Amino acid sequence: MATAATTTTVDPDRQTAAPEAMVVRFAGDSGDGMQLTGGQFTLSTALAGNDLATFPDFPAEIRAPQGTLFGVSAFQINFGSREIDTAGDAPDVLVAMNPAALKTNLGALKPGGLIIADTGAFTKRNLEKAHYEANPLEDGSLAKYDVLAFDISERTIEAVKPYGLGNKDALRSKNMWTLGLALWMFDRPRDPLHAWLKQKFAKAPDIAAANIAALDAGHAYGETAELSGPLRQVHIDPVDSAPGLYRTVTGAEAISLGLVAGAQLADLPMFFGGYPITPASAILHHLARLKEFGVTTFQAEDEIAAICASIGASYAGQLGVTSSSGPGIALKGEAMGLAIMVELPLVIVNSQRGGPSTGLPTKTEQSDLYQAVYGRNGDAPMPVIAARSPSDAFDCAIEACRIAVEYMTPVMLLTDGYIANAAEPWKVPNPDSYTPFPAEFLSERNDDKLLPYKRDGKGARPWIRPGTPGLMHRIGGIEKHELTGNIDYSPDNHQRMTDLRKAKIEGIAVPDQEVCLGGTSGKLAVVGWGSTYGPIHQAVGRARARKMDVSHIHVRHVWPLPANLGELLHGFDRVLVPEMNTGQFKTVLRDQYLVDAQPLTKTSGQPFQIAELEAAIATYFDGRPGDAGGAVIEPNEQQLPSMESGHDDGSLRTGTASPQSEDRA
């Protein structure tokens, strides 16, 4: 017999109008399909016309023991009828598939928020694994929340019983039952999900039918349970959007498409050499499906082979591309120096994660900025570009390709785990809006004799395809003559070549820096780069609504910096730099412009929350002497469990690191 649902409400009259936005978090075991559930709910939300931003958050293990705090996987989505820039600070709705998911995520839920819990998973054993002494669904500890608790597991088994599945196989569909309820709660159509399930399980129609039955059963429960008060169905209107073709895109997808577009604009085939490492592996996966656009993908035996093969492809006349995360970028360091020395175009994508060393394979950070700008032996300057959001990664990838081809240099494109995995709506641009930058190859001698390092007005040397008649030349990592390319150890030549390589990068034409929000001068500038864009933009907007004289500046071209940035920063009394590291970009700004930039740092493996930035901005306007200045954001217990909250330090588990998320010791 199915367990009766228990419903606890705080204030049945609290919600009288449809909200502009909602934040929903799905949480459960790594094997409960929370990422799949969140992904499909995201697609249905996009089809409904809402703006959205997502935050997938999952452990590094292949699969931690079921029911443990360490193995909780979560997916958060913020969607609404207004502009959405972040995945949201605190959920309005928490779907907890077991006690561990509830305990790990409860602190993040807004007071009065809704908990949907599967009572079938709240067994004595699972409660012990989550370090609960009593069942929180029964002991009154959840009184400040709305609680809808019922046996999702049993209802799922009942729904798929006609398809002859055993209990173990049947329970694999409980994420679909939950998704069906979520679709009903937010007035989403089921037809797209039906079509997706039929396509996904085309070779196993019974499995497709069972999942559809579970989905429909969850939806029907919402329809027939006659939920009232704050638990009723909510409809959120579509966001006002400019006409055009839209699709949902992750950062990894946008980078892949942008790299292909960049190669097309350069009129070059593309070679991608990569090695699996989280969170960069998805780029290799996406590019492997785009071979019809002249893309060759190569999964190498290691990081060094991947970048060296890409350099070889560039030498042969293709656009070489490689990608990795921090540990892999470190391994590629010597080869990056080779690409700088031989002056060949190369795009290097660094999807940053928590470090150093193995660090936090599935958590986000911005701690590779020093590595990108300075992290090579010798004076080895390299352009660095940082994407601010998943959709922005498309244009950043094109820009990286342009600079690489026009200036004959490797370029590093910085993203991070948040950008790579998160999704948002993207208006597909008109290809005609991009200016081509076709690569030019030398076809005959450029002087009385071939001078492979004779530079053009931009400081770039000619690109020579090997095998071109009469244009044989020497290439390699040893210092070479400034014109002939022959080996030349002489002090004056090395000085000139060092200066020429430096001047070429410093002379790259990048757009002037714009102010994203606010004036070009004032009391406070909040300067960001990379994925901090969303929370900074929202926090500054809220501060300006309270009449605070604050502006938001977000830097895409990290190196070389925009020519007007120094003058812009000196127009503000104070400069605050939020970043997910210990203050790396702050140091760059201080070094380049002698501004008293103050850091606001966070290294917990999780993105900034809007409230954290609002509080930091407010200190500059509260009138208390000495209150303003840099700070370190303390770890958020709701974002990253601690030992004190029952976090498993490894002594209670036998799971091993995922080969996708951890590819080297």
Side-chain angles (χ1 to χ4, degrees):
M1 178 179 294
T3 303
T6 60
T7 303
T8 304
T9 64
V10 176
D11 182 359
D13 299 319
R14 182 180 67 239
Q15 185 172 305
T16 59
E20 284 189 328
M22 293 284 288
V23 180
V24 178
R25 183 181 295 185
F26 300 92
D29 266 326
S30 296
D32 282 340
M34 294 297 94
Q35 303 305 317
L36 181 67
T37 302
Q40 291 306 309
F41 186 77
T42 297
L43 292 177
S44 70
T45 299
L47 289 172
N50 298 133
D51 198 8
L52 64 93
T54 71
F55 178 41
D57 190 15
F58 44 88
E61 284 64 31
I62 295 172
R63 186 175 298 174
Q66 282 189 327
T68 60
L69 294 163
F70 196 77
V72 172
S73 174
F75 187 103
Q76 182 164 307
I77 176 172
N78 182 11
F79 59 98
S81 57
R82 57 170 171 78
E83 181 181 354
I84 301 294
D85 290 314
T86 76
D89 281 6
D92 299 286
V93 179
L94 171 63
V95 179
M97 303 300 284
N98 61 17
L102 179 64
K103 186 164 192 177
T104 303
N105 294 279
L106 181 61
L109 188 64
K110 291 178 181 176
L114 172 63
I115 298 169
I116 299 175
D118 178 12
T119 59
F122 279 68
T123 63
K124 183 175 183 295
R125 177 61 177 146
N126 281 346
L127 289 168
E128 290 174 351
K129 289 180 181 179
H131 301 257
Y132 275 120
E133 295 181 359
N135 190 336
L137 301 179
E138 301 171 352
D139 66 0
S141 61
L142 304 179
K144 67 177 181 179
Y145 305 104
D146 298 324
V147 180
L148 178 62
F150 50 91
D151 197 336
I152 295 176
S153 299
E154 186 170 346
R155 293 176 186 276
T156 302
I157 292 172
E158 188 69 25
V160 303
K161 185 182 293 184
Y163 302 96
L165 300 180
N167 283 3
K168 183 177 180 180
D169 289 334
L171 288 175
R172 292 175 179 171
S173 298
K174 72 176 183 177
N175 64 325
M176 287 294 108
W177 197 102
T178 307
L179 178 59
L181 178 61
L183 293 178
W184 174 83
M185 285 184 64
F186 297 103
D187 196 19
R188 301 279 185 261
R190 285 169 290 159
D191 291 344
L193 274 299
H194 288 175
W196 176 79
L197 286 166
K198 290 175 182 177
Q199 181 181 21
K200 180 176 178 62
F201 297 106
K203 296 182 179 180
D206 288 347
I207 299 297
N211 278 283
I212 290 172
L215 181 82
D216 290 345
H219 194 277
Y221 180 85
E223 289 180 321
T224 59
E226 297 182 355
L227 304 180
S228 61
L231 304 178
R232 69 179 188 274
Q233 190 176 47
V234 176
H235 175 81
I236 296 180
D237 292 330
V239 66
D240 290 333
S241 302
L245 175 64
Y246 288 82
R247 59 160 292 182
T248 301
V249 68
T250 66
E253 290 173 323
I255 288 171
S256 303
L257 293 171
L259 290 170
V260 172
Q264 296 283 313
L265 290 168
D267 196 22
L268 293 171
M270 188 179 84
F271 177 93
F272 180 91
Y275 179 76
I277 181 172
T278 295
S281 300
I283 298 173
L284 172 61
H285 302 160
H286 291 304
L287 287 174
R289 296 192 286 266
L290 300 173
K291 295 179 180 179
E292 67 268 30
F293 297 103
V295 178
T296 300
T297 52
F298 169 58
Q299 180 174 317
E301 65 269 26
D302 56 46
E303 297 282 9
I304 299 172
I307 187 172
C308 288
S310 299
I311 294 171
S314 289
Y315 175 61
Q318 298 195 16
L319 179 58
V321 181
T322 190
S323 81
S324 190
S325 190
I329 296 297
L331 289 169
K332 296 178 188 289
E334 183 181 3
M336 284 190 278
L338 173 62
I340 291 168
M341 177 63 87
V342 299
E343 300 188 48
L344 285 170
L346 178 71
V347 177
I348 305 154
V349 183
N350 181 355
S351 301
Q352 302 165 95
R353 70 191 207 186
S357 186
T358 302
L360 306 174
T362 61
K363 307 301 179 183
T364 194
E365 209 162 87
Q366 292 180 299
S367 51
D368 293 351
L369 185 137
Y370 282 165
Q371 183 185 40
V373 177
Y374 306 118
R376 292 161 293 281
N377 68 296
D379 283 300
M382 179 190 298
V384 179
I385 299 170
R388 72 185 191 185
S389 68
S391 58
D392 184 55
F394 178 83
D395 286 331
C396 286
I398 292 176
E399 178 71 348
C401 294
R402 179 191 71 83
I403 292 175
V405 170
E406 291 187 349
Y407 292 88
M408 292 293 284
T409 179
V411 180
M412 187 171 290
L413 172 56
L414 293 175
T415 70
D416 57 42
Y418 174 67
I419 288 177
N421 294 319
E424 65 182 10
W426 174 52
K427 184 181 179 182
V428 179
N430 182 351
D432 295 335
S433 65
Y434 293 90
T435 303
F437 42 89
E440 297 181 359
F441 293 91
L442 195 65
S443 58
E444 58 186 17
R445 291 180 181 177
N446 55 353
D447 209 304
D448 292 339
K449 61 179 181 179
L450 175 63
L451 298 176
Y453 280 83
K454 182 179 180 181
R455 301 173 186 276
D456 63 15
K458 296 179 179 178
R461 79 172 186 89
W463 197 352
I464 306 171
R465 282 196 179 101
T468 304
L471 301 187
M472 184 181 296
H473 62 286
R474 180 179 281 109
I475 194 169
I478 298 178
E479 187 63 283
K480 48 193 60 62
H481 187 272
E482 62 177 316
L483 292 175
T484 66
N486 296 330
I487 294 173
D488 191 335
Y489 285 170
S490 62
D492 58 341
N493 179 77
H494 179 56
Q495 180 70 61
R496 287 195 298 272
M497 287 296 280
T498 300
D499 293 342
L500 286 167
R501 287 187 289 263
K502 179 174 182 288
K504 179 176 73 170
I505 302 306
E506 291 179 346
I508 291 173
V510 302
D512 278 350
Q513 181 63 50
E514 297 181 349
V515 177
C516 302
L517 188 62
T520 56
S521 62
K523 186 170 182 179
L524 176 65
V526 183
V527 182
W529 66 279
S531 64
T532 57
Y533 174 84
I536 292 176
H537 201 67
Q538 286 290 321
V540 169
R542 295 178 186 182
R544 288 184 61 80
R546 296 196 296 272
K547 308 303 181 183
M548 297 181 190
D549 184 12
V550 55
S551 298
H552 175 201
I553 298 170
H554 216 78
V555 179
R556 170 185 282 183
H557 290 272
V558 173
W559 199 265
L561 292 162
N564 69 324
L565 182 58
E567 180 182 356
L568 188 60
L569 295 181
H570 281 287
F572 293 89
D573 297 341
R574 307 293 292 272
V575 175
L576 180 67
V577 186
E579 49 188 330
M580 294 183 289
N581 56 49
T582 56
Q584 296 181 20
F585 193 50
K586 168 268 302 178
T587 302
V588 172
L589 294 179
R590 286 182 176 181
D591 169 63
Q592 293 297 304
Y593 304 120
L594 300 179
V595 294
D596 185 22
Q598 294 294 316
L600 182 68
T601 65
K602 183 173 183 177
T603 54
S604 65
Q606 300 287 340
F608 277 102
Q609 293 186 330
I610 301 170
E612 294 168 341
L613 295 169
E614 280 190 276
I617 292 170
T619 63
Y620 288 84
F621 300 91
D622 61 12
R624 291 182 293 193
D627 201 20
V632 176
I633 300 296
E634 294 298 322
N636 187 324
E637 297 296 328
Q638 292 82 48
Q639 290 188 316
L640 195 66
S642 69
M643 291 289 290
E644 288 73 19
S645 66
H647 176 66
D648 185 355
D649 64 356
S651 61
L652 304 178
R653 59 190 174 90
T654 57
T656 56
S658 163
Q660 178 183 357
S661 60
E662 187 41 58
D663 309 298
R664 60 185 63 82

